[in-house]
Amino acid sequence: MMDGEIFTATLVPSGNVTPDSSMTLEQKTTFAFVFLLFIFLGILIVRCFRILLDPYRSMPTSTWADGLDGLEKGQFDYALA
């Protein structure tokens, strides 16, 4: 800046001009999308903490021996021979 120039801020409106406080359609859409992303993030965080606190709750109760036909549980070693 040179000496004697008056510094004016372009982002600050002058005294008698009212700023337009309404949002455009693009801003509303972006705001809604970000809001939905935060909801999705919150659901994922809750799900991850539930898995960390009780990891075996989400596992199925069946075991590998449930699907064997004609064999009792624990007799798989004899079926290999």
Side-chain angles (χ1 to χ4, degrees):
M1 279 179 70
M2 298 188 54
D3 292 336
E5 277 188 42
I6 299 174
F7 179 75
T8 58
T10 58
L11 297 177
V12 179
S14 60
N16 57 359
V17 177
T18 58
D20 188 14
S21 63
S22 65
M23 293 173 38
T24 64
L25 182 60
E26 291 176 352
Q27 290 173 335
K28 289 178 184 178
T29 305
T30 305
F31 184 74
F33 183 69
V34 169
F35 184 70
L36 289 175
L37 282 178
F38 274 119
I39 290 174
F40 184 68
L41 179 67
I43 291 170
L44 286 179
I45 289 173
V46 168
R47 179 176 160 83
C48 288
F49 272 109
R50 288 179 65 189
I51 290 173
L52 285 174
L53 293 175
D54 191 12
Y56 300 109
R57 179 181 51 85
S58 61
M59 294 177 64
T61 56
S62 64
T63 62
W64 58 271
D66 285 345
L68 297 177
D69 295 329
L71 296 175
E72 295 293 325
K73 289 183 182 178
Q75 294 183 351
F76 184 72
D77 295 333
Y78 301 115
L80 292 177

